[in-house]
Amino acid sequence: MRSKELKRQARFIAVGGVAMALLVTGCAENTGDNGEGAQEHEQNTLDIIGTAEDSVGPATPVEGAVEGGEITFIQNSDMAHLDPARNYVSTSMMVGQGLLYRTLTGYREDGDGSRKVVGDLATDPGTDVNGDCTVWEYTLKDGLKYEDGTDITADHVAYGISRAMATEENDEGERVPMYPEGAQFLLDWLDPANEYVGPYEGEETAPGIAVDGNKITFTFDSPRCETPFAVAMPTTAPIPPDKDTKGEFDQMPFSSGPYKIEERVFEERTVLVRNEHWDANTDPIRHAYVDSFVFEYGTQPEDITTRLAANASGDENLATFTPVDSSQLSNIVGNKAEYEGRYLEGPRKYTSYLNINMNRVTDLAVRQAINHAFNRDRWVQVNGGEYSVLPNTTLMGPTVPGYVDYDVYPYDVEKAKELLGGETIQLRYAHADTATEGRIAAAMVDEFAKAGIEIEAVPIDPLDWYGQIADPDNSFDLYWSSWGEDWPSGSTVFPPLYHSRSIPVENNYPFINVPELDQKIEDLESSSAGFEETAAQWGELGKEIMEKYAPVIPTDIAYGVWISGSNVGGHYLSENISTLDVTKLFVREP
Amino acid sequence: MTTVTAPDPAVGTAVGGEDPYLEVEDLKVHFSTEDGLVKAVDGLSFSLRRGVTLGIVGESGSGKSVTSLTVLGLHNPGKTRLSGSVKVGGVDIVTADAEKIRRMRGKDMSMIFQDPLTALHPYYTIGRQIVESYRVHHDVPKKQAWTRAVEMLDRVGIPQPDKRAKQYPHEFSGGMRQRAMIAMSLVNNPSLIIADEPTTALDVTVQAQILDLLEDLQREFNSAIILITHDLGVVSEVADEVLVMYGGRCAEYGTAQQVLRESEHPYTWGLLRSVPTLSGDADHDLHPIPGNPPSLLNVPNGCAFHPRCEYAMNAGGPCDTQRPELLPVVGGTAHLAACHLPHDKRRTIRETEVKDGS
Amino acid sequence: MLRFIIRRLLLAVLTLTMVSIITFGLFFAVPADPARLQCGQRCTAEQVDAVRANLGLDEPVHEQYVDFVKGIFVGRSYDNGTECGAPCLGLLNVGGREVTEVVADALPITASIAVGAWLIQMTLGIGLGAIAAIKRGRFIDKFAVGASLVGAATPLFFFGPMLLLIFRYELEWLPQPAYVSPLQSIGDWMVGMILPWLAVSLIGFAFETRMTRSQMLETLDEDFIRTSWAKGLRGRTVFGRHALRASITPIATSAGLSLAGLLGGAVVTETIFGLNGLGKRAVDAVRALELSMVMATVLIAALFIVVSTLLVDLLYAVIDPRVRLS
């Protein structure tokens, strides 16, 4: 197996190895309705794949938007990677795909809660040539230009994908990927045997790719009905071979989007200015209201929030991808009216779980009892309240089409005791050795005790967290992990989390290993029945897994609140990337 | 509290002929501390003419150093209560304003300190320190002051004075350093020199040289010298008059001859007996005074010396209840002592038990 | 003198070598794996290995150390074609930027904070400390003691944000602290640095005040001060030329070390005010397991300490004629 994705890297890096950024202190006012500024999405609609008409530019205008001005993003750290072959972290993807490069398909979010996969460079989300999802054809639009005014061609798209598959020889003579950090789905589908060495030392174009004029065709050896999503990943960004600067491309990618890089000093400052050759009429996704975007790095999350909240003179044009810091969350959501017009909140696509180590807790009844004994309200409360996390009882979150709402094991202490047969059990609960996590653990000790489950809370060095819990021989029974789907399909949720092949390299932290389940997952993965049909089946599979195996306690989905300076307009929560949508922003008074 | 009777005016005339340059009358120096009131000097009177050397003798804590600092006006004005008068060349230090005293300090009256290593600034050359002394009182160019400094170093017997002036105190030997200190003190031809234990830090041969130097200079400049010491040997060598202090008061006062040869106070006897002699057997001749000097916070009732006095008339006697007045000694001219012992008894004891110190 | 300097320089080299070896060793003693962090939690073992090889972390530790040291003196060239000229402190794992470049960007920021704050704290601290000692027990002394207590007891992580809240966000008297090169605009540089200077100097000021005061009090008790009074010198001469001059040795020591400490990176200040100086870079580097950056910041901080102690020792010889350097 070549490689896996790195979705979680954003949170992982931002907090120095503790993937706990969203676990917060304080207690937000628990309001059922999300008031002003909250964003409703048309969640779990199956009609997510758009049409050729949907793929025609320009993008639907943002109400009240005007052109001009400059917006400065303050961030704690720089974009991890900008090279499309390596870009796989939410904010980097938002900047990369929102501003700097286009891909074959993309997500059109019109600002009304709708989301559709549409053609971006391509004229439509893709043509399933044979109707069995094995051959997909894309035709490039006319009038697509790079930042230097030259034409974007299908060859360049093919080169970009092939380049992402490049390998090099290491000291031991093994071939290792040169750009291992990026999304690998399409690459694995094209070259499942992992034989292609890349365009630098091998064939110019990867196997399975054919280019004919402005058409590019992908041929897979098994049905890949979710290709429209897979080619929305940054890896399909076009790159002219003569502009491929390899390692340096990561810092200065060659732009095909509405902006180009004018200045870039890593971890210091990035300045983007308009790409005059970008034509809005070809682009159904992006706007370019702002003349320039500046990114400045080095401000701590709590200080970012303080500064934006203060909105002092000269700071009116500031924005950030960083959600409001937990320390100021209750203060800000409690005074939403003060932030009118510069406030945004909504659910994010990250779902969290307490994994039950099935290598140790082998009895289903015990796992069910643990689920019944879990007080989700208390969990939400100690995690910072409903402006930090929302309670969740499902394996596949509400941001995924096919979402099914179920609560297989509602909180019921008596039921838990009954399942345990009156016995008292001991469990080892691992948590990162931080104040917040310690507090959460203490609350869990209390809660589980009510059902006769004695929890031993074991703190773990945050830097070593994944090293410890990913070990199938670990000595813990309960531990947290989190997941966000790569695209809105159960196929990017269940295989990495519940298939036995994902032990230990993926996110199968409960170490569930059931051949019957593996088979079901594989069947759905290789189904040629089409997206809409399988989507619903993924949703049902989650419920079945909970009923039959109870490998985890679903705990919550993340919730985010953002604010910006008062002169920034067009706030929208991108459902695709789960952060502030940079393409819709404008300066109210440029 | 009784006060010391003012000494007979005749006392000051023991040596010399003109009016006294320094007149101290009923001087009291008290400072308040957290522990209580310290009566460092509690009613002290004496006078001194130019050309005369007064030795002030006593153990540490007897008030002798405080007296000398007060004469220079170097008491801490915020914390010290002064009464009585200290007239230097007719100016009363107790009442004069600070700036006036400062102008006199180092010029009319100057001080030679005990340890020239710590008393000289370690970071400045000897020459520079003397120049500074000179120029603060004389408005002259640096160069001229430097010439004067070298001259003074030459005068106090420092070889190659022009070179030595450019050196730092730590480059001098102990004796040379004290000579430099003396040069600095005398650079303005002061009329009154207070030498606080000037030879204590030096070895014996150098001690004698320094004392000789002081005597020479005194003759040359006709200065009045107060020599503060705990060493009766030094006093006997150079002092014309001697004042013995105990517990902040005068115990005995007279000419050197009177105090050293015809001592009338048991404390003075004690001091005399503690002086080593060259002739005697060291083991038998040394008799340190038993006990410790009194705390100035809490001076014993009666005679301050009575707890240590082997002749004290306690328990019904006056020594532990009544403070002895400083009275002229029977038969002595200008010889004062503060002791309750009858004169006859003192004489008997002195003649039978106390051998001459030298 | 020359021999002293040579010997101290050799000692400095030895110190820096030890510091670098210890840092290197500690880095590898920590269980966290930079390759895994860099690669992310979903990497396969092979991928982690690939990243590790890319970062050069697969070589034996001692070879990596030798490479690092060699880079400083003769530069390094990397597999990906990057030529890193001497003094090469390595490349960042993330972003691949030359650490030397990062340091070159960060150093002026840290130096601006350090030197400015240092000048403020030394001027105010020595001034107030000396006056307090001279006016011992009076109002100004009580004020100085109180102020320095408050300064010492006020944590920077509280005081810094308070300054920001008041002067930046509430009153809006000052712009957001930011570094502008003084070569570009002295005015903007100062305006951008005022808050960090205030924040850093508060604690240093408290320390210098207390130290100067106690040192002055000690000196004022010295015999040579009594001598200078006895010479009839004016108060200001006694305090200034004699007392302060004699108190200057320990003050100079602490001044030198505090400047070196500040130059090593004002971690909390830089973090609070979002200034990408050395201190912040160091903390970020530790968090991100950026070995080269950690080494660079530790070595630079150590270098400042070593150089400043040497300079302070040389300064002793100038200040105090009794000191002989050998």
Side-chain angles (χ1 to χ4, degrees):
Chain A
M1 192 182 309
R2 194 206 309 255
S3 58
K4 301 298 161 203
E5 77 226 62
L6 303 163
K7 167 160 324 296
R8 292 297 315 291
Q9 199 176 35
R11 293 174 67 186
F12 194 67
I13 280 183
V15 291
V18 203
M20 305 261 168
L22 297 169
L23 302 183
V24 292
T25 57
C27 185
E29 192 188 349
N30 192 341
T31 56
D33 65 319
N34 291 327
E36 185 186 347
Q39 186 174 308
E40 294 295 335
H41 284 283
E42 293 176 10
Q43 286 163 352
N44 92 62
T45 173
L46 292 175
D47 179 24
I48 194 169
I49 298 181
T51 62
E53 292 85 72
D54 293 333
S55 308
V56 174
T60 309
V62 175
E63 207 182 302
V66 289
E67 285 208 1
E70 178 173 286
I71 290 177
T72 299
F73 272 77
I74 48 173
Q75 295 291 129
N76 186 23
S77 46
D78 203 337
M79 271 79 73
H81 294 287
L82 283 180
D83 185 332
R86 307 171 73 174
N87 187 349
Y88 207 177
V89 172
S90 62
T91 53
S92 309
M93 287 170 80
M94 180 49 88
V95 172
Q97 292 189 282
L99 304 176
L100 290 175
Y101 35 78
R102 303 175 61 175
T103 41
L104 280 178
T105 62
Y107 295 85
R108 176 174 186 156
E109 300 189 51
D110 281 349
D112 53 5
S114 66
R115 170 175 57 163
K116 279 195 161 63
V117 178
V118 298
D120 180 358
L121 293 171
T123 52
D124 56 42
T127 308
D128 176 8
V129 177
N130 300 332
D132 64 354
C133 296
T134 54
V135 179
W136 288 84
E137 186 183 88
Y138 290 88
T139 306
L140 263 56
K141 294 170 182 167
D142 294 330
L144 302 172
K145 307 275 189 198
Y146 289 109
E147 61 176 278
D148 61 355
T150 56
D151 289 337
I152 296 171
T153 68
D155 278 327
H156 296 168
V157 175
Y159 180 77
I161 299 166
S162 305
R163 173 185 175 276
M165 298 160 83
T167 59
E168 62 188 350
E169 209 164 88
N170 70 6
D171 294 344
E172 281 87 53
E174 298 158 349
R175 294 211 73 86
V176 293
M178 285 177 72
Y179 311 110
E181 300 93 344
Q184 306 289 327
F185 298 94
L186 179 64
L187 317 182
D188 283 340
W189 296 350
L190 288 168
D191 180 25
N194 206 1
E195 285 163 344
Y196 181 56
V197 297
Y200 303 133
E201 295 173 46
E203 296 285 319
E204 169 95 5
T205 305
I209 302 181
V211 176
D212 176 16
N214 63 350
K215 280 191 174 59
I216 181 165
T217 310
F218 302 107
T219 306
F220 307 118
D221 52 11
S222 54
R224 296 299 177 185
C225 293
E226 293 182 6
T227 299
F229 300 110
V231 299
M233 288 289 164
T235 34
T236 63
I239 299 175
D242 61 337
K243 299 288 182 190
D244 182 3
T245 50
K246 297 186 178 174
E248 281 169 38
F249 205 77
D250 204 21
Q251 295 302 315
M252 297 289 277
F254 188 60
S255 171
S256 54
Y259 293 87
K260 61 184 177 182
I261 298 175
E262 184 181 67
E263 182 193 342
R264 175 144 172 82
V265 183
F266 190 70
E267 284 290 6
E268 300 269 1
R269 190 176 155 83
T270 304
V271 180
L272 306 185
V273 296
R274 284 181 189 283
N275 167 15
E276 297 298 342
H277 300 285
W278 169 81
D279 181 359
N281 292 320
T282 66
D283 196 328
I285 295 167
R286 300 170 187 82
H287 301 282
Y289 294 125
V290 182
D291 287 341
S292 62
F293 283 101
V294 177
F295 296 84
E296 287 177 351
Y297 317 107
T299 310
Q300 298 290 315
E302 62 266 35
D303 298 331
I304 292 174
T305 300
T306 307
R307 197 171 160 192
L308 290 178
N311 191 41
S313 63
D315 281 357
E316 298 90 343
N317 287 19
L318 293 186
T320 187
F321 293 121
T322 310
V324 165
D325 189 67
S326 57
S327 59
Q328 288 151 85
L329 190 61
S330 57
N331 192 22
I332 283 172
V333 298
N335 299 288
K336 276 184 211 177
E338 279 182 33
Y339 302 96
E340 191 182 347
R342 57 193 190 98
Y343 177 93
L344 176 69
E345 66 172 54
R348 310 185 74 190
K349 65 180 179 183
Y350 303 105
T351 47
S352 291
Y353 317 93
L354 280 176
N355 300 284
I356 305 175
N357 185 341
M358 289 176 64
N359 287 342
R360 289 167 56 91
V361 187
T362 50
D363 184 346
L364 173 64
V366 173
R367 295 199 296 273
Q368 289 172 327
I370 295 170
N371 261 284
H372 276 303
F374 177 71
N375 184 342
R376 199 167 274 100
D377 290 342
R378 182 79 192 276
W379 171 269
V380 168
Q381 183 221 322
V382 292
N383 274 280
E386 294 210 356
Y387 282 96
S388 295
V389 295
L390 296 173
N392 174 44
T393 53
T394 65
L395 293 190
M396 190 176 90
T399 49
V400 185
Y403 166 73
V404 177
D405 190 7
Y406 48 85
D407 185 1
V408 180
Y409 306 105
Y411 178 52
D412 186 341
V413 172
E414 292 313 313
K415 192 78 189 282
K417 283 181 180 165
E418 194 185 312
L419 281 163
L420 291 174
E423 301 271 312
T424 297
I425 61 165
Q426 281 89 32
L427 295 178
R428 282 164 60 79
Y429 174 100
H431 65 88
D433 193 2
T434 64
T436 308
E437 290 301 308
R439 207 159 45 239
I440 294 168
M444 290 303 106
V445 170
D446 281 356
E447 291 300 330
F448 280 107
K450 292 174 185 167
I453 298 171
E454 290 174 8
I455 297 283
E456 183 197 348
V458 185
I460 290 181
D461 179 357
L463 280 176
D464 200 27
W465 174 258
Y466 284 107
Q468 294 248 7
I469 68 162
D471 179 0
D473 296 324
N474 77 47
S475 61
F476 312 112
D477 301 300
L478 273 178
Y479 34 87
W480 179 91
S481 71
S482 173
W483 187 250
E485 67 275 5
D486 297 276
W487 62 70
S489 163
S491 68
T492 64
V493 175
F494 292 94
L497 266 57
Y498 304 104
H499 194 286
S500 65
R501 69 173 184 239
S502 300
I503 307 172
V505 295
E506 275 270 12
N507 270 42
N508 186 342
Y509 294 132
F511 313 119
I512 180 169
N513 186 350
V514 182
E516 181 202 4
L517 175 60
D518 287 353
Q519 191 56 53
K520 278 188 175 158
I521 289 173
E522 286 163 26
D523 289 348
L524 277 173
E525 276 186 297
S526 58
S527 162
S528 57
F531 176 76
E532 294 191 15
E533 198 164 310
T534 52
Q537 292 179 35
W538 285 119
E540 291 297 335
L541 179 64
K543 189 176 180 189
E544 184 185 326
I545 291 173
M546 280 309 290
E547 282 166 350
K548 280 192 176 166
Y549 315 111
V552 300
I553 309 170
T555 56
D556 59 83
I557 62 171
Y559 196 82
V561 175
W562 290 263
I563 55 172
S564 71
S566 57
N567 201 25
V568 176
H571 300 86
Y572 190 77
L573 174 55
S574 159
E575 197 169 3
N576 176 40
I577 302 192
S578 237
T579 188
L580 183 65
D581 187 343
V582 73
T583 69
K584 292 183 176 58
L585 296 181
F586 63 89
V587 176
R588 294 180 202 276
E589 289 169 18
Chain B
M1 187 200 299
T2 55
T3 52
V4 175
T5 314
D8 186 335
V11 169
T13 60
V15 183
E18 37 179 325
D19 285 343
Y21 185 73
L22 169 68
E23 280 182 285
V24 176
E25 263 188 58
D26 195 20
L27 175 67
K28 291 183 182 175
V29 185
H30 295 179
F31 10 80
S32 23
T33 66
E34 283 174 18
D35 299 322
L37 191 68
V38 173
K39 296 176 181 173
V41 178
D42 198 22
L44 184 69
S45 303
F46 63 90
S47 60
L48 187 60
R49 289 167 203 290
R50 298 183 68 141
V52 176
T53 302
L54 168 69
I56 299 183
V57 186
E59 293 163 295
S60 53
S62 62
K64 53 190 183 356
S65 289
V66 173
T67 306
S68 65
L69 290 176
T70 308
V71 171
L72 282 172
L74 287 180
H75 53 278
N76 179 343
K79 288 194 177 146
T80 314
R81 285 218 313 262
L82 282 186
S83 67
S85 75
V86 176
K87 284 192 181 133
V88 177
V91 178
D92 188 354
I93 299 294
V94 175
T95 56
D97 78 310
E99 178 60 14
K100 180 158 193 175
I101 302 173
R102 183 190 68 74
R103 287 173 190 281
M104 292 168 67
R105 211 184 284 141
K107 182 162 170 267
D108 299 313
M109 55 216 185
S110 77
M111 184 124 184
I112 298 165
F113 289 102
Q114 175 175 356
D115 182 355
L117 182 60
T118 59
L120 288 168
H121 201 293
Y123 296 173
Y124 295 117
T125 60
I126 294 288
R128 186 168 170 187
Q129 296 190 51
I130 299 175
V131 163
E132 188 183 38
S133 260
Y134 191 62
R135 288 188 77 218
V136 72
H137 298 295
H138 295 89
D139 188 16
V140 296
K142 268 188 188 161
K143 214 171 178 183
Q144 194 182 327
W146 185 265
T147 313
R148 167 77 181 162
V150 172
E151 213 177 276
M152 280 310 293
L153 288 175
D154 190 32
R155 177 62 197 85
V156 298
I158 289 176
Q160 295 183 288
D162 49 340
K163 254 189 205 163
R164 301 290 271 174
K166 290 174 197 153
Q167 293 184 329
Y168 292 91
H170 71 274
E171 294 172 283
F172 279 56
S173 67
M176 286 295 146
R177 219 180 278 134
Q178 192 56 293
R179 283 171 195 270
M181 181 85 215
I182 291 170
M184 190 167 83
S185 289
L186 270 53
V187 71
N188 292 314
N189 292 341
S191 306
L192 172 63
I193 301 163
I194 302 175
D196 189 353
E197 309 265 12
T199 58
T200 310
L202 306 173
D203 65 55
V204 182
T205 48
V206 182
Q207 274 187 13
Q209 291 169 10
I210 295 294
L211 292 175
D212 286 348
L213 173 65
L214 269 179
E215 281 194 304
D216 285 355
L217 293 169
Q218 182 180 36
R219 265 195 295 280
E220 190 176 326
F221 297 113
N222 193 31
S223 323
I225 295 181
I226 296 177
L227 182 72
I228 294 169
T229 182
H230 64 278
D231 184 346
L232 283 180
V234 170
V235 170
S236 69
E237 255 180 73
V238 291
D240 302 308
E241 297 172 5
V242 178
L243 192 159
V244 179
M245 284 191 79
Y246 190 83
R249 289 162 165 267
C250 176
E252 190 169 5
Y253 181 28
T255 63
Q257 172 72 22
Q258 288 167 336
V259 175
L260 299 175
R261 304 276 175 196
E262 296 151 26
S263 166
E264 288 278 334
H265 198 285
Y267 176 59
T268 316
W269 301 340
L271 291 175
L272 286 167
R273 275 188 290 194
S274 66
V275 175
T277 59
L278 288 173
S279 55
D281 179 347
D283 288 339
H284 286 93
D285 280 353
L286 276 179
H287 298 282
I289 304 168
N292 292 313
S295 156
L296 294 173
L297 272 170
N298 190 13
V299 179
N301 286 332
C303 174
F305 187 60
H306 86 261
R308 300 168 73 190
C309 181
E310 49 183 309
Y311 312 108
M313 301 174 289
N314 295 337
C319 290
D320 56 349
T321 52
Q322 224 179 319
R323 178 161 287 176
E325 294 188 5
L326 185 66
L327 295 172
V329 170
V330 176
T333 315
H335 185 185
L336 307 175
C339 182
H340 286 302
L341 288 173
H343 177 72
D344 290 351
K345 192 166 182 193
R346 289 192 287 210
R347 177 164 295 171
T348 317
I349 294 169
R350 185 177 75 228
E351 283 171 0
T352 54
E353 297 185 28
V354 186
K355 290 171 189 160
D356 278 350
S358 50
Chain C
M1 182 77 160
L2 190 64
R3 272 186 59 193
F4 170 81
I5 294 175
I6 290 170
R7 219 180 42 209
R8 286 293 298 266
L9 286 177
L10 288 176
L11 189 67
V13 170
L14 186 70
T15 308
L16 292 177
T17 310
M18 289 308 292
V19 166
S20 63
I21 290 175
I22 290 168
T23 312
F24 225 85
L26 280 177
F27 186 86
F28 284 97
V30 173
D33 179 354
R36 174 157 271 282
L37 180 63
Q38 157 83 344
C39 197
Q41 55 152 320
R42 293 185 66 179
C43 269
T44 59
E46 289 84 4
Q47 267 175 295
V48 174
D49 285 345
V51 172
R52 189 174 291 123
N54 278 346
L55 300 178
L57 291 168
D58 54 342
E59 290 173 33
V61 175
H62 65 272
E63 278 177 31
Q64 290 185 50
Y65 179 76
V66 170
D67 286 347
F68 178 82
V69 174
K70 240 163 84 184
I72 295 176
F73 294 102
V74 299
R76 287 170 87 166
S77 43
Y78 287 85
D79 292 347
N80 65 6
T82 308
E83 284 298 328
C84 176
C88 176
L89 294 164
L91 303 182
L92 290 183
N93 296 347
V94 178
R97 226 181 136 200
E98 284 185 28
V99 170
T100 314
E101 244 178 65
V102 178
V103 168
D105 285 337
L107 200 53
I109 298 173
T110 297
S112 292
I113 300 173
V115 174
W118 181 79
L119 284 176
I120 293 172
Q121 77 187 39
M122 293 317 293
T123 314
L124 289 183
I126 295 176
L128 192 59
I131 291 170
I134 291 165
K135 305 277 182 191
R136 183 180 194 178
R138 309 269 280 278
F139 172 75
I140 183 82
D141 181 29
K142 285 171 181 154
F143 170 77
V145 171
S148 71
L149 260 178
V150 170
T154 308
L156 192 51
F157 59 76
F158 170 77
F159 187 60
M162 284 309 285
L163 284 177
L164 259 187
L165 271 179
I166 295 169
F167 293 106
R168 170 66 188 130
Y169 302 145
E170 278 305 315
L171 302 174
E172 299 194 19
W173 288 355
L174 293 167
Q176 191 69 23
Y179 174 74
V180 179
S181 167
L183 302 175
Q184 203 178 318
S185 162
I186 289 275
D188 288 354
W189 174 70
M190 287 183 68
V191 167
M193 284 290 146
I194 287 176
L195 291 180
W197 284 344
L198 284 180
V200 180
S201 59
L202 177 80
I203 287 165
F205 148 79
F207 176 75
E208 302 299 345
T209 302
R210 275 179 306 158
M211 206 198 51
T212 306
R213 180 178 177 274
S214 65
Q215 192 56 41
M216 272 291 273
L217 284 177
E218 204 174 290
T219 306
L220 287 173
D221 267 353
E222 294 278 357
D223 287 353
F224 59 81
I225 294 302
R226 202 177 50 186
T227 306
S228 55
W229 286 119
K231 285 157 83 169
L233 300 180
R234 286 175 189 84
R236 61 167 187 272
T237 315
V238 174
F239 293 130
R241 197 188 293 164
H242 289 250
L244 196 55
R245 176 75 169 79
S247 308
I248 213 77
T249 309
I251 295 173
T253 311
S254 88
L257 290 180
S258 72
L259 180 61
L262 289 173
L263 283 172
V267 175
V268 179
T269 316
E270 290 170 4
T271 306
I272 289 170
F273 295 107
L275 299 166
N276 289 319
L278 277 183
K280 186 161 186 307
R281 290 283 186 230
V283 172
D284 290 348
V286 170
R287 260 192 218 158
L289 303 178
E290 289 277 10
L291 173 61
S292 302
M293 195 67 212
V294 169
M295 288 297 291
T297 48
V298 167
L299 279 180
I300 287 168
L303 184 71
F304 280 129
I305 297 285
V306 166
V307 169
S308 74
T309 45
L310 175 60
L311 289 180
V312 164
D313 284 352
L314 291 176
L315 197 61
Y316 278 177
V318 179
I319 293 172
D320 187 344
R322 291 169 301 182
V323 172
R324 277 234 185 86
L325 300 174
S326 56

